[in-house]
Amino acid sequence: MDLGLAEDHFSRPVGSFVASDIEQLKLAIEECKKLILELPEHSERQKDNVVKLIHLRLKLQELKDPEEDEPNLRVLLEHRFSKEKSKSVKQTCDKCSTIIWGLIQTWYTCTGCYYRCHSKCMNLITKPCVRSKVSHQSEYELSICPEIGLDRQDYRCAECRAQISLRGVPSEARQCDYTGQYYCSTCHWNDTAVIPARVIHNWEFESRKVCRSSMRYLALMMSRPVLRLKEINPLLFNFVEELVEIRKLRQDILLMKPYFITCKEAMEARLLLQLQDRQHFVENDDMYSLQDLIDISTGRLSCSLTEIHTTFAKHIKLDCERCQAKGFVCELCKEGDILFPFDSHTSVCYDCSAVFHRDCYFDNSTTCPRCARMTERKENPPDQ
């Protein structure tokens, strides 16, 4: 099929387009649209004219928005916009809320917060990059939907300050469940997200409607370990058994860590890298990310962490002689197998980290034998 524009009223010789041709192209497009409607449906002539219409529109877009003049990278309000090369993916502009036609329009995506917009909308952007907020203020709003009321907002969008009302005139007021504030339809697209405050206080994971900026902020914060549950809501451990299980597994992994960082075989096998997606699990046992809590509720984290725990314990207790040599013998009963601090039937001395059978340590009224020896050495140092 010939993709050229043969008719005189549709095209002109190649290379003859100038700025004044834009109006003529618009007229040609309208004539082509009328002709398409007049021709029989599914006829070859109609199909040919549809192709010509597409070609005309591409020509018009080239005159209006020449791609070669657009830079590949633009920085604005801490956004780092990168020009997209995809022509087939249909997206929506975050600024004007209309469709981005990648085939005929130039568009950009922020590499930090994934804000998308037309090239023509770039200079109209007023929203700073959400990633900068995440970098400078890594914390959640922990009150459930902290509404202040539409009247306190002066009946204006909390973000762009456009006039809004509950009646939808001139624009519908939409509430963000994360911030509790009201937004216009341009800033609030009825996207949904899990709300951290509802998870921490009610163990509720139902997605709620949030504004665009909250959606991006929550997405960027999803894997950040910023929730210290034992301070925010310690009673949660009394009602959620899975949290207690995960806390015990994390405590055990922290007790295993000293074995690995002094074991050549463990370092070569890179055992600790099995937790590289949750690095905070090998640093502390009380910080959680929102993704951790979501995975706990679904049971996914319990399965994966139990498997890693089993692998770690197998290396220390069975596979590695060096790690086995660092085990303990219960000095109170001097019986049984070699003990390790992460065993479920053991207790660890808080002062010297010696390991005993749990029954022996709590039932024996004497002090820890290891602590007693250390104290005696300090009081009666050997003669030099």
Side-chain angles (χ1 to χ4, degrees):
M1 183 183 293
D2 182 15
L3 297 183
L5 304 178
E7 288 81 351
D8 290 338
H9 62 285
F10 283 158
S11 64
R12 297 177 64 180
V14 177
S16 65
F17 285 111
V18 292
S20 60
D21 289 332
I22 291 179
E23 290 302 321
Q24 294 180 15
L25 269 174
K26 289 181 178 179
L27 292 174
I29 287 172
E30 291 303 319
E31 289 182 30
C32 189
K33 288 165 67 175
K34 291 178 182 178
L35 185 57
I36 290 172
L37 294 174
E38 293 171 358
L39 291 170
E41 285 192 19
H42 308 298
S43 65
E44 288 300 320
R45 286 194 62 196
Q46 188 187 51
K47 292 178 182 178
D48 290 345
N49 280 278
V50 169
V51 173
K52 293 173 183 178
L53 177 61
I54 294 172
H55 196 81
L56 279 170
R57 285 178 168 170
L58 286 171
K59 280 288 186 182
L60 179 62
Q61 187 62 36
E62 287 176 6
L63 290 179
K64 284 185 173 181
D65 188 21
E67 185 175 341
E68 57 271 15
D69 293 340
E70 298 289 348
N72 291 324
L73 184 66
R74 298 177 66 174
V75 180
L76 179 68
L77 295 176
E78 299 190 33
H79 291 283
R80 291 183 62 83
F81 285 107
S82 175
K83 186 166 69 172
E84 293 292 345
K85 301 187 186 320
S86 173
K87 302 295 185 182
S88 59
V89 179
K90 186 171 69 174
Q91 302 287 353
T92 303
C93 177
D94 283 304
K95 177 57 186 176
C96 65
S97 304
T98 59
I99 293 175
I100 299 173
W101 298 99
L103 187 64
I104 61 175
Q105 293 177 319
T106 305
W107 59 291
Y108 287 80
T109 299
C110 175
T111 57
C113 67
Y114 309 108
Y115 187 98
R116 300 181 181 92
C117 70
H118 296 103
S119 173
K120 63 182 180 181
C121 296
M122 292 282 286
N123 294 329
L124 304 176
I125 294 174
T126 57
K127 303 174 184 177
C129 182
V130 177
R131 184 170 288 277
S132 63
K133 180 182 177 182
V134 172
S135 302
H136 301 126
Q137 183 185 356
S138 295
E139 58 183 26
Y140 287 116
E141 170 59 61
L142 296 179
S143 299
I144 297 177
C145 195
E147 181 180 4
I148 62 173
L150 192 54
D151 57 335
R152 291 280 298 276
Q153 292 183 210
D154 197 26
Y155 294 93
R156 293 183 179 275
C157 172
E159 192 162 296
C160 69
R161 306 305 297 165
Q163 287 190 337
I164 54 177
S165 73
L166 295 176
R167 296 180 179 179
V169 179
S171 180
E172 177 189 5
R174 299 178 179 178
Q175 187 177 35
C176 172
D177 197 80
Y178 176 67
T179 64
Q181 295 180 307
Y182 291 89
Y183 299 81
C184 66
S185 56
T186 301
C187 299
H188 193 317
W189 296 4
N190 287 329
D191 299 299
T192 59
V194 175
I195 309 301
R198 293 185 182 275
V199 172
I200 293 171
H201 296 296
N202 298 337
W203 200 242
E204 177 191 330
F205 293 88
E206 180 184 353
S207 294
R208 305 278 180 151
K209 292 180 180 180
V210 294
C211 66
R212 295 291 289 175
S213 58
S214 293
M215 183 198 68
R216 290 195 186 87
Y217 181 75
L218 292 173
L220 292 174
M221 287 284 289
M222 182 66 73
S223 299
R224 288 184 172 247
V226 297
L227 298 171
R228 195 182 298 273
L229 292 186
K230 68 179 183 181
E231 292 183 1
I232 302 171
N233 186 11
L235 294 178
L236 198 58
F237 289 92
N238 297 338
F239 298 96
V240 183
E241 294 180 2
E242 294 87 348
L243 275 175
V244 178
E245 177 189 356
I246 295 299
R247 181 175 61 183
K248 179 63 170 68
L249 290 172
R250 291 182 64 177
Q251 290 171 346
D252 288 350
I253 287 173
L254 288 177
L255 292 172
M256 295 177 186
K257 180 181 175 182
Y259 289 85
F260 294 147
I261 60 179
T262 57
C263 174
K264 181 180 178 181
E265 292 181 11
M267 297 299 287
E268 290 177 350
R270 299 186 176 185
L271 290 177
L272 288 176
L273 285 182
Q274 294 187 35
L275 288 168
Q276 61 181 342
D277 293 335
R278 304 182 198 267
Q279 189 64 34
H280 51 290
F281 279 19
V282 295
E283 296 172 354
N284 57 69
D285 64 355
D286 60 348
M287 299 298 290
Y288 294 83
S289 68
L290 184 58
Q291 187 64 59
D292 292 338
L293 301 182
I294 293 173
D295 291 343
I296 289 173
S297 71
T298 60
R300 178 172 168 235
L301 182 56
S302 178
C303 292
S304 62
L305 202 57
T306 299
E307 185 177 342
I308 293 172
H309 182 280
T310 302
T311 302
F312 286 3
K314 181 175 178 292
H315 171 86
I316 295 172
K317 301 177 72 172
L318 299 176
D319 297 343
C320 180
E321 293 183 357
R322 291 186 182 88
C323 292
Q324 290 178 40
K326 298 173 185 175
F328 293 80
V329 174
C330 179
E331 294 188 49
L332 296 175
C333 70
K334 296 181 174 58
E335 296 178 358
D337 299 330
I338 301 299
L339 304 179
F340 294 90
F342 51 83
D343 287 333
S344 59
H345 61 286
T346 61
S347 292
V348 180
C349 175
Y350 180 79
D351 296 319
C352 69
S353 301
V355 181
F356 308 93
H357 290 112
R358 180 172 296 171
D359 295 337
C360 296
Y361 188 66
F362 287 111
D363 291 344
N364 197 294
S365 58
T366 60
T367 59
C368 168
R370 190 179 182 188
C371 289
R373 289 197 303 273
M374 294 170 65
T375 302
E376 184 177 355
R377 288 196 191 104
K378 289 180 181 179
E379 294 177 352
N380 302 305
D383 296 333
Q384 298 293 333

